[in-house]
Coordinates of all heavy atoms in Angstrom, one line a residue:
P846 N 65.0 2.5 -5.7 CA 64.8 2.5 -4.3 C 63.9 3.7 -3.8 O 63.9 4.7 -4.5 CB 66.2 2.7 -3.6 CG 66.9 3.3 -4.7 CD 66.4 2.7 -5.9
L853 N 60.0 16.4 9.2 CA 59.7 17.9 9.1 C 60.8 18.8 9.7 O 61.5 18.4 10.7 CB 58.4 18.3 9.7 CG 57.2 17.6 9.2 CD1 55.9 17.9 10.0 CD2 57.0 17.9 7.8
N855 N 60.9 22.6 10.3 CA 60.1 23.8 10.2 C 60.6 24.8 11.3 O 59.8 25.5 11.9 CB 58.6 23.5 10.3 CG 58.2 22.7 11.6 OD1 59.1 22.4 12.4 ND2 56.9 22.7 11.7
D891 N 58.3 13.7 30.7 CA 56.9 13.6 30.2 C 56.8 14.4 29.0 O 57.1 15.6 29.0 CB 55.9 14.0 31.2 CG 55.8 13.0 32.4 OD1 56.7 11.9 32.4 OD2 55.1 13.2 33.3
E952 N 54.8 7.7 38.1 CA 55.5 7.5 39.2 C 54.9 8.2 40.4 O 54.8 7.7 41.4 CB 57.0 7.7 39.0 CG 57.8 7.5 40.1 CD 59.3 7.5 39.9 OE1 59.7 8.1 38.8 OE2 60.0 7.4 40.8
S1012 N 37.7 -2.9 50.4 CA 39.3 -3.1 50.5 C 40.0 -1.8 49.9 O 41.0 -1.4 50.4 CB 39.5 -4.3 49.5 OG 40.8 -4.5 49.4
A1048 N 17.9 9.0 73.7 CA 16.5 9.4 73.2 C 16.3 10.7 73.9 O 16.6 10.9 75.1 CB 15.5 8.4 73.6
K1123 N 11.1 -3.9 82.1 CA 10.8 -2.8 81.2 C 9.3 -2.6 80.8 O 8.9 -1.5 80.7 CB 11.8 -2.9 80.0 CG 13.2 -2.8 80.3 CD 14.0 -3.0 79.2 CE 15.6 -2.8 79.4 NZ 16.4 -3.0 78.3
L1159 N -20.9 10.6 66.0 CA -21.0 11.7 65.1 C -19.9 12.7 65.5 O -19.5 13.0 66.6 CB -22.4 12.3 65.2 CG -23.6 11.5 65.0 CD1 -24.9 12.2 65.3 CD2 -23.5 10.9 63.6
V1165 N -20.6 11.3 60.1 CA -19.7 10.2 60.5 C -18.6 10.2 59.5 O -18.9 10.1 58.2 CB -20.5 8.8 60.6 CG1 -19.4 7.6 60.8 CG2 -21.4 8.8 61.6
P1170 N -6.2 12.8 61.4 CA -5.7 13.7 62.3 C -5.8 15.1 62.1 O -6.0 16.0 62.9 CB -4.3 13.3 62.4 CG -4.0 12.7 61.0 CD -5.2 12.0 60.6
F1187 N 3.7 -11.5 70.5 CA 2.4 -11.7 70.0 C 2.4 -13.3 69.5 O 1.3 -13.9 69.8 CB 2.2 -10.9 68.8 CG 0.9 -11.2 68.0 CD1 -0.3 -10.9 68.5 CD2 1.0 -11.9 66.7 CE1 -1.4 -11.2 67.7 CE2 -0.1 -12.3 66.1 CZ -1.4 -11.9 66.5

Side-chain angles (χ1 to χ4, degrees):
L853 300 176
N855 52 359
D891 291 358
E952 183 178 358
S1012 177
K1123 292 181 180 179
L1159 299 180
V1165 175
F1187 172 76

